[in-house]
């Protein structure tokens, strides 16, 4: 298991509604999304398909559409919406008093970001 | 002085040749047209529906008198040419009108045969060839009760049907033992006869008409076996003969028709001939498809391009009697070396016969179900080897090939590794596997699962046929009315109408009003709605960046590695040392890895990181550049050639006009990308004819071409009109762009839009009706007042650049 450490990354207002911002870490960028209902999610900023920057995608409900080939990724689980198959790593994130806190998941690195076979 | 071209015969082939010629060389000739009929050019084919009352004569006019006027063509109607003097190179009409020519085009068509029998010139005996004939038949049907039609070919049957529809009792008298014996075998001929008999038409087959009876007016006909039939109207539809009398009298070499070579030239090099009057390689034609091919070739040579050759045509026939489906092509009888494949379903009235020689289709007759006619015709013409699809062939293309995109039968014989979707690199095997394993039934499902045909869409036909081929009967054809996306059942047009009629002014309002099924929409509908609102309420609607794709949000093109490309606007493609220096400095300062010229004469800085974007823009802004919108569904570039200022061929200042057009049109959001071009002469170095709107200078003004594009599937632009001045070019361009903005579906290129609504509908608003044109241009200008803000400057100058930089950087 990896160590998670909560850190404050900024104000909720710094993330555009239906948009995302990036947290730059040594293990790669993490995209922090803000949905229309102000729910906040964090995923690796890498699409399970070909690594597209998810932070640049269109946020639709609790999904994001990758800007490169339009795969849809569930913000809650990081999983690609069928028929596409794949998963991107999640990171714990929460909002308190209008501030956003993130606990980057530093474990498992590459492997966890690889696609997970789903039942079909 | 311009050369003089005279056309004799104001019919379908002759005028088509002029149309083709005007496209190629609008200013080459002073054109004069002589027509024997008192009408402008009309669609002769549609005389049948006029006779049956389904259409009016006005509705079948192809080129009204205004067309001749607007092209500066002198038209003499009701003026049959009676003398052709080739030595003096002039023609004289019956009314004495004369015209000299440098080139002459003969297109006198055919003359219907009047049988050489007693009484054939009585009052009440008519042929079926022109409007006058139809008028007399209509008049006769109002007075008389009975009609006899002599001839059971295509024309006779269409005449019989029309007269029956007008309430007459009709008998068809036919010499052969079955109908349309030149196109149908006995089986199909019999089925046709039965269908027409069910409509109340009587038949006398193997019957020879010996005389027309009557004193002054006709009262009946007498058959060779001695029987008589009563009739108040007799229609002779017993064949046609090429109308070559004028040519023959002038000493031109004629056989059955006016003899021409592959360039449609007669034995007199100044005289060309096209249409039913000609004989080419021993053949004469009586259908329009081959005549239109001839027209193209003749026009090419009249324009002195000298590249076309006509090599003869294979023709196919359809009968235009509503409710009867009949198709025939090629040799449908066969001989001892051919085999016939026949499907005969008497219960449902379907008959299909294919004549095959050495595994190639030589002829086809279809009755009752003609859907596959064009496919068989294509296989026939291409000489496709059908051995691999033999057992499926008669069941039709849906069981074998693709859905009518001309690649008939291909999918069936393709290997699994063959790539179907070039854009997404999807092979046949991937698609069939997805269809069978995941149980897919619709095109959308296949798109979703495999991405095949999800991009440029040019392989849609192949994918659909693969689907049809793989799942057979269960295949759901794409419904006619297309919903915007899965979030709604409404079509693009319905959504736009709702926005307008109910004054909906935001995306949530639209979604709420139209009961969107997904609260937040999807990547298809959100950008579309954002555009529709922007277009409908300029200045009022506040753009929603969250509903735009990243390129339009970041005002730069995202590349596959997540960096961006930056293209500054270079007006008309004309730049200066100072500008180039500024770009060079930006490229060095931000270590831009690749600097490249785009296809539209602009400079592309590739590989800029998102964080650098605002800085790059600020530096470019400082040097006077604005965004080139290379990333948007927007007006992109106006490509120009050097034109009159430098080029020895240039006839107009194309460069300047291009710059002016770009200043007028930049910044406009459009349903899809829009590219313009201006060339300084018909050599067309700026490739204007593959642009959404292309301008080509001619000596007397400017030609406008629309709805072309390069890309996956090249489409040459359609000629819209010619105008005199640069100001007019601007007004027409603004009007065209605005009409496109208002009518096209989001993500529909001008080519698809024009194909959907028809060029005529566009012409009507942009060319024919000055008031509508001005109103469109005004609306464009109004909306440009809000759109022409450089987004780069706006972003670079705004204090808020949060969206370009990380919210936080974490170092361990
Ligand atoms: C009722 C009907 C239905 C048809 N249906 C079909 C169909 O379904 N499909 C199909 O492909 N084809 C069909 N056709 C055939 C088609 O209409 C002709 O092939 C086509 O019109 C021939 O074109 P053209 O220019 O050679 O001759 P036309 O269109 O006949 O034009 C020749 C013109 O020249 C004029 N002319 C002749 N001599 C002179 C002179 N000396 N001076 C001045 N003018 C002269 C004639 O009056 C005529 O207007 C049909 C024809 C008819 C009559
Ligand atoms: S289109 Fe004509 S004017 Fe323009 S560069 Fe070519 S030849 Fe010269
Ligand atoms: S730039 Fe255009 S043609 Fe070239 S690879 Fe990309 S999509 Fe294909
Ligand atoms: S990289 Fe995300 S869809 Fe292709």
């Amino acid at each position: 298991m990896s160590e998670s450490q909560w850190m404050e990354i900024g104000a909720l207002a710094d993330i555009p509604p239906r948009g995302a911002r990036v947290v730059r870490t040594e293990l790669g960028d993490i995209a922090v999304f803000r949905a229309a209902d102000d729910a906040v999610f964090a995923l690796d900023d890498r699409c399970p398909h070909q690594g597209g920057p998810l932070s640049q995608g269109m946020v639709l409900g609790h999904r994001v559409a990758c800007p490169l080939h339009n795969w849809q990724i569930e913000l809650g689980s990081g999983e690609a919406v069928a028929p596409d198959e794949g998963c991107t790593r999640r990171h714990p994130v929460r909002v308190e008093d209008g501030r956003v806190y993130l606990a980057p998941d530093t474990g498992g690195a590459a492997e966890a970001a690889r696609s997970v076979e789903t039942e079909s | 002085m311009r050369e003089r071209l005279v056309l004799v015969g104001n019919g379908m082939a002759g005028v088509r040749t002029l149309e083709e010629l005007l496209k190629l060389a609008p200013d080459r000739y002073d054109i004069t047209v002589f027509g024997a009929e008192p009408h402008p050019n009309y669609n002769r084919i549609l005389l049948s529906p006029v006779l049956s009352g389904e259409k009016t004569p006005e509705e079948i006019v192809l080129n009204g008198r205004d067309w001749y006027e607007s092209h500066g063509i002198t038209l003499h109607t009701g003026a049959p040419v009676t003398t052709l003097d080739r030595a003096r190179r002039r023609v004289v009409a019956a009314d004495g009108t004369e015209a000299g020519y440098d080139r002459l085009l003969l297109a006198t068509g055919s003359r219907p045969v009047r049988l050489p029998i007693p009484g054939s010139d009585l009052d009440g005996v008519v042929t079926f060839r022109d409007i006058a004939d139809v008028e007399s038949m209509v008049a006769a049907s109002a007075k008389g009760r009975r009609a006899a039609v002599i001839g059971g070919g295509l024309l006779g049957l269409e005449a019989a049907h029309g007269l029956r529809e007008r309430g007459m009792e009709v008998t068809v008298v036919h010499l052969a033992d079955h109908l349309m014996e030149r196109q149908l075998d006995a089986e199909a001929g019999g089925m046709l006869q039965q269908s027409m008999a069910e409509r109340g038409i009587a038949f006398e087959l193997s019957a020879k008409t010996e005389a027309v009876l009557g004193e002054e007016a006709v009262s009946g006909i007498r058959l060779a076996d001695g029987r008589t039939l009563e009739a108040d109207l007799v229609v002779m539809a017993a064949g046609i003969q090429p109308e070559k009398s004028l040519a023959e009298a002038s000493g031109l070499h004629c056989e059955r028709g006016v003899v021409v070579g592959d360039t449609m030239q007669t034995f007199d090099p100044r005289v060309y001939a096209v249409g039913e009057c000609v004989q080419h390689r021993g053949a004469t034609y009586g259908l329009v498809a081959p005549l239109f091919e001839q027209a193209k070739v003749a026009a090419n040579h009249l324009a002195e391009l000298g590249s076309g050759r006509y090599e003869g045509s294979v023709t196919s026939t359809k009968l235009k009697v509503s409710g009867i489906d009949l198709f025939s092509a090629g040799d449908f009888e066969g001989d001892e070396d051919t085999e016939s494949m026949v499907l005969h379903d008497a219960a449902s009235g379907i008959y299909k016969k294919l004549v095959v020689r050495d595994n190639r289709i030589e002829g086809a007759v279809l009755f009752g179900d003609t859907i596959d006619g064009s496919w068989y015709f294509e296989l026939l013409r291409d000489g496709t080897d059908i051995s691999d699809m033999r057992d499926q062939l008669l069941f039709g293309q849906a069981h074998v090939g693709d859905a009518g995109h001309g690649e008939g039968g291909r999918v069936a014989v393709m290997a699994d590794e063959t790539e179907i979707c070039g854009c997404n690199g999807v092979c046949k095997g991937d698609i069939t596997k997805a269809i069978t394993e995941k149980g897919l039934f619709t095109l959308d499902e296949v798109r979703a699962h495999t991405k095949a045909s999800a991009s440029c869409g040019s392989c849609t036909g192949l994918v659909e046929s693969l689907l049809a081929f793989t799942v057979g009967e269960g295949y759901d054809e794409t419904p006619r009315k297309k919903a915007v996306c899965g979030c709604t059942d409404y079509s693009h047009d319905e959504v736009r109408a709702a926005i307008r009629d109910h004054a909906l002014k935001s995306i949530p309002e639209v979604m709420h009003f139209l009961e969107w099924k997904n609260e937040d929409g999807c990547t298809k509908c959100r950008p579309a709605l954002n555009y529709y609102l922007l277009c409908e309420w300029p200045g009022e609607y506040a753009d929603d960046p969250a509903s735009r794709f990243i390129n339009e949000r970041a005002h730069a093109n995202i590349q596959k590695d997540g960096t961006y490309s930056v293209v500054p606007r270079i007006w008309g493609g004309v730049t200066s040392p100072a500008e180039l220096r500024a770009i060079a400095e930006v490229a060095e300062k931000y270590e831009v890895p690749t600097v490249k010229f785009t296809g539209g004469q602009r400079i592309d800085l590739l590989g800029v990181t998102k964080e650098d974007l605002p800085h790059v823009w600020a530096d470019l802004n400082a040097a006077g550049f604005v965004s080139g919108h290379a990333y948007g569904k927007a007006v992109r570039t106006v490509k120009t050639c050097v034109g009159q200022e430098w080029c020895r061929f240039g006839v107009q200042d194309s460069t300047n006009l291009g710059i002016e057009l770009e200043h007028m049109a930049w910044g406009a959001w459009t349903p899809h990308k829009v590219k313009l071009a201006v060339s300084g002469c018909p050599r067309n170095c700026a490739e204007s004819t593959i642009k959404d709107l292309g301008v080509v200078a001619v000596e007397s003004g400017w030609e406008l071409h629309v709805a072309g594009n390069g890309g996956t599937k090249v489409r040459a632009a359609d000629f819209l009109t010619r105008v005199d001045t640069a100001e007019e070019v601007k007004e027409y361009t603004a009007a065209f762009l605005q009409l496109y903005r208002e009518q096209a579906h989001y993500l529909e290129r001008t080519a698809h839009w024009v194909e959907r609504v028809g060029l005529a509908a566009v012409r009507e608003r942009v060319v024919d009706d000055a008031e509508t044109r001005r109103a469109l241009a005004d609306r464009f200008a109004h909306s440009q007042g809000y759109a022409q803000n450089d987004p780069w400057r706006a972003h670079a100058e705004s204090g808020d650049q949060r969206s370009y930089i990380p919210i936080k950087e974490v170092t361990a």
Side-chain angles (χ1 to χ4, degrees):
Chain A
M1 266 274 79
S2 57
E3 287 291 295
S4 320
Q5 232 174 5
W6 288 101
M7 62 170 80
E8 186 192 325
I9 56 162
L12 179 63
D14 286 336
I15 310 176
R18 289 204 189 97
R21 295 287 300 281
V22 162
V23 174
R24 184 145 299 165
T25 79
E26 286 178 332
L27 291 164
D29 285 359
I30 296 172
V32 182
F33 298 90
R34 175 179 172 193
D37 60 3
D38 279 349
V40 171
F41 305 91
L43 298 176
D44 274 354
D45 195 14
R46 284 180 52 81
C47 175
H49 179 217
Q50 287 176 13
L54 296 175
S55 58
Q56 310 301 304
M58 213 183 281
V59 178
L60 310 146
H62 286 182
R63 291 178 178 173
V64 63
C66 175
L68 290 196
H69 313 93
N70 208 27
W71 279 31
Q72 315 271 318
I73 312 296
E74 290 287 2
L75 291 175
S77 65
E79 295 210 8
V81 176
D84 297 323
E85 293 163 10
C87 189
T88 215
R89 183 167 49 168
R90 283 177 297 159
H91 302 273
V93 65
R94 64 191 159 89
V95 183
E96 245 164 60
D97 296 332
R99 310 297 299 174
V100 184
Y101 297 85
L102 176 74
D105 174 357
T106 50
E111 243 35 70
R114 278 267 121 53
S115 69
V116 177
E117 281 291 293
T118 47
E119 310 282 319
S120 63
Chain B
M1 221 192 63
R2 292 200 291 187
E3 288 201 297
R4 297 158 305 167
L5 172 67
V6 170
L7 165 63
V8 181
N10 189 25
M12 299 192 72
V15 176
R16 171 59 70 95
T17 310
L18 294 187
E19 286 177 343
E20 298 280 352
L21 173 63
L22 290 171
K23 272 197 244 163
L24 299 173
D27 297 311
R28 172 163 231 103
Y29 294 103
D30 275 324
I31 302 175
T32 304
V33 177
F34 287 88
E37 296 182 64
H39 309 282
N41 176 44
Y42 61 88
N43 189 344
R44 196 170 303 288
I45 296 178
L46 296 184
L47 285 177
S48 299
V50 173
L51 177 62
S52 63
E54 290 162 57
K55 281 203 154 53
T56 63
E58 293 72 47
E59 283 173 317
I60 67 167
V61 169
L62 290 171
N63 298 87
R65 290 180 194 273
D66 52 333
W67 178 82
Y68 296 85
E69 246 161 62
S70 69
H71 288 91
I73 298 172
T74 311
L75 172 65
H76 302 290
T77 52
V81 171
T82 46
T83 309
L84 161 55
D85 182 345
R86 292 194 292 123
R88 292 210 182 75
R89 302 215 304 266
R90 63 186 188 108
V91 297
V92 189
D95 61 1
T97 317
E98 285 195 28
Y101 66 81
D102 298 298
R103 303 267 182 124
L104 180 71
L105 177 61
L106 291 175
T108 47
S110 304
R111 185 172 7 145
V113 172
R114 264 187 196 254
L115 296 174
I117 52 176
S120 71
D121 51 359
L122 283 173
D123 223 16
V125 180
V126 296
T127 54
F128 187 17
R129 181 71 194 175
D130 55 26
I131 289 185
D133 293 335
V134 172
E135 282 168 350
S136 44
M137 283 193 262
V138 171
S141 73
K143 285 187 293 172
R145 213 160 47 82
R146 292 198 193 84
V149 175
I150 302 175
L154 185 106
L155 277 188
L157 294 177
E158 292 189 3
H161 169 70
L163 293 169
R164 178 72 201 150
E165 291 288 295
R166 296 227 174 233
M168 294 190 93
E169 285 172 25
V170 185
T171 305
V172 175
V173 180
H174 191 47
L175 200 55
D177 62 357
H178 70 264
L179 298 177
M180 292 183 69
E181 77 283 359
R182 303 252 293 280
Q183 289 91 14
L184 301 181
D185 61 1
E187 196 63 50
M191 294 176 82
L192 171 61
Q193 183 182 343
Q194 191 186 342
S195 301
M196 297 205 62
E198 282 163 12
R199 282 149 206 262
I201 294 172
F203 290 93
E204 292 289 345
L205 298 186
S206 310
K208 186 169 178 203
T209 310
E210 211 174 53
V212 180
L213 309 174
E215 292 298 315
E216 260 163 41
V218 39
S219 62
I221 57 174
R222 190 176 67 234
L223 303 181
D225 62 9
R227 285 184 297 147
T228 60
L229 300 176
E230 277 179 46
D232 314 298
L233 171 72
V234 172
V235 182
M236 286 201 181
I240 53 173
Q241 275 170 356
E243 175 54 86
K244 58 176 178 179
S245 52
L246 183 69
E248 216 157 33
S250 75
L252 271 178
H253 177 61
C254 295
E255 288 171 12
R256 221 156 11 107
V258 184
V259 177
V260 296
D262 286 0
T263 58
M264 306 315 292
Q265 226 164 12
T266 67
F267 280 37
D268 177 343
R270 288 189 182 270
V271 182
Y272 289 74
V274 291
E276 286 187 349
C277 63
V278 310
Q279 176 181 336
H280 170 262
R281 298 194 185 176
T284 57
Y285 295 97
L287 293 166
V288 294
L291 311 186
F292 288 171
E293 289 174 39
Q294 296 175 354
K296 256 205 159 80
V297 174
N300 186 289
H301 288 274
L302 285 170
E304 282 174 8
L305 300 177
S307 61
R309 277 164 66 89
Y310 177 69
E311 302 184 323
S313 308
V314 187
T315 58
S316 67
T317 311
K318 288 182 183 151
L319 181 72
K320 299 188 302 300
V321 171
S322 32
I324 295 182
D325 292 320
L326 179 161
F327 174 91
S328 157
D331 168 17
F332 55 90
E333 293 285 14
D335 53 40
E336 52 285 6
D337 297 328
T338 62
E339 42 182 330
S340 297
M341 300 166 66
V342 176
L343 182 155
H344 192 170
D345 180 351
S348 45
I350 291 173
Y351 176 75
K352 301 183 183 185
K353 170 168 154 186
L354 298 175
V355 174
V356 176
R357 188 194 304 273
D358 298 336
N359 281 320
R360 285 175 175 75
I361 297 182
E362 283 221 323
V365 176
L366 307 178
F367 189 87
D369 171 8
T370 53
I371 291 170
D372 292 300
S374 49
W375 179 52
Y376 294 138
F377 188 49
E378 192 142 333
L379 295 177
L380 184 157
R381 259 193 327 200
D382 296 349
T384 309
D385 188 324
I386 52 133
S387 27
D388 289 345
M389 43 179 157
R390 277 187 88 91
D391 48 340
Q392 302 275 349
L393 204 56
L394 279 172
F395 297 107
Q397 188 174 22
H399 287 258
V400 183
D402 83 313
H405 289 253
E407 290 123 327
R410 258 175 54 191
V411 296
V413 296
M414 272 179 183
D416 273 356
E417 301 73 55
T418 311
E419 192 172 86
I420 301 259
C421 173
C423 292
N424 295 295
V426 190
C427 299
K428 177 187 170 185
D430 304 338
I431 300 176
T432 43
K433 184 159 160 250
I435 294 173
T436 45
E437 287 185 1
K438 314 227 163 160
L440 310 182
F441 280 99
T442 66
L443 182 62
D444 277 348
E445 285 172 347
V446 175
R447 280 192 180 150
H449 282 262
T450 67
K451 292 280 187 295
S453 86
S455 299
C456 77
S458 69
C459 61
T460 304
L462 282 175
V463 175
E464 279 184 321
S465 44
L466 208 46
L467 195 55
F469 184 57
T470 314
V471 304
E473 286 300 304
Y475 166 55
D476 253 11
E477 250 182 273
T478 331
R480 281 261 166 268
K481 175 187 126 177
K482 265 222 146 130
V484 172
C485 62
C487 304
T488 178
D489 292 329
Y490 292 105
S491 68
H492 286 273
D493 291 331
E494 289 166 336
V495 169
R496 291 197 95 159
I499 290 174
R500 192 173 51 241
D501 299 344
H502 299 277
L504 307 175
K505 301 205 171 167
S506 72
I507 293 180
E509 261 182 78
V510 179
M511 290 184 170
H512 180 75
F513 186 85
L514 295 176
E515 300 177 327
W516 234 245
K517 292 183 239 168
N518 289 328
E519 205 182 330
D520 235 4
C522 70
T523 49
K524 273 191 191 157
C525 58
R526 281 227 326 246
L529 294 181
N530 189 52
Y531 169 73
Y532 291 154
L533 288 159
L534 205 60
C535 178
E536 189 63 40
W537 314 114
E540 229 179 300
Y541 172 69
D543 195 286
D544 176 23
S547 295
R548 286 189 179 272
F549 290 111
I550 180 61
N551 288 353
E552 294 186 351
R553 229 179 315 131
H555 300 283
N557 270 326
I558 196 166
Q559 303 297 316
K560 65 184 214 182
D561 63 352
T563 64
Y564 291 83
S565 86
V566 171
V567 182
R569 193 168 284 284
I570 295 183
W571 309 97
V574 178
T575 183
S576 66
E579 284 188 345
L580 291 174
R581 209 170 289 127
I583 292 177
E585 272 163 18
V586 167
E588 278 181 353
K589 177 167 166 193
Y590 297 96
E591 296 173 3
V592 171
T594 300
V595 180
K596 178 180 180 309
F597 286 91
T598 69
Q601 301 178 329
R602 305 300 183 262
I603 296 175
D604 195 351
L605 305 171
L606 288 142
V608 179
T609 64
K610 194 169 187 195
E611 284 141 275
D612 278 342
L613 283 176
H615 308 292
V616 168
W617 295 340
D619 287 5
L620 288 170
N621 277 158
F625 290 106
V626 298
S627 159
H629 288 84
Y631 45 79
K633 310 298 174 221
V635 171
R636 297 244 170 126
T637 54
V638 182
K639 188 170 177 173
T640 65
C641 76
V642 291
Q644 199 176 36
E645 203 186 344
W646 293 98
C647 176
R648 68 204 162 98
F649 298 114
V651 294
Q652 304 273 3
D653 191 348
S654 48
T655 322
N656 240 327
L657 178 57
I659 293 173
E660 286 177 26
L661 280 178
E662 192 157 351
H663 275 288
M664 176 188 89
W666 78 278
W669 295 109
T670 43
H672 208 301
K673 61 185 173 187
V674 169
K675 299 178 179 182
L676 284 68
V678 187
S679 292
C681 85
R683 283 169 189 76
N684 192 13
C685 295
E687 298 168 336
S688 297
T689 45
I690 51 163
K691 297 295 183 228
D692 296 279
L693 186 138
V695 185
V696 177
V698 291
E699 222 142 323
S700 57
W702 308 89
E703 282 181 3
L704 301 181
H705 301 262
V706 297
N709 64 229
T712 327
K713 205 168 199 167
V714 181
R715 180 182 194 276
D718 295 321
F719 174 71
L720 181 72
T721 189
R722 197 192 64 79
V723 298
D724 297 331
T725 65
E727 277 317 301
E728 284 172 289
V729 173
K730 285 195 258 176
E731 182 178 305
Y732 281 66
T733 301
F736 176 79
L737 291 177
Q738 185 65 13
L739 191 63
Y740 169 57
R741 298 183 71 228
E742 291 176 7
Q743 285 193 344
H745 300 165
Y746 191 65
L747 296 187
E748 191 172 41
R749 290 291 299 265
T750 55
H752 294 120
W753 162 62
V754 168
E755 278 172 9
R756 178 167 60 82
V757 302
L759 184 63
V762 174
R763 272 212 184 109
E764 209 170 276
R765 292 181 175 76
V766 177
V767 181
D768 302 342
D769 179 353
E771 213 169 291
T772 306
R773 174 173 65 245
R774 244 167 273 130
L776 281 165
D778 286 348
R779 287 207 290 283
F780 185 72
H782 173 73
S783 127
Q784 285 296 79
Y786 301 99
Q788 293 191 322
N789 295 312
D790 178 24
W792 289 359
R793 186 172 299 272
H795 283 256
E797 283 179 355
S798 100
D800 181 7
Q801 292 182 358
R802 284 180 297 181
S803 58
Y804 299 94
I805 51 171
I807 188 168
K808 189 179 179 79
E809 301 203 25
V810 191
T811 40

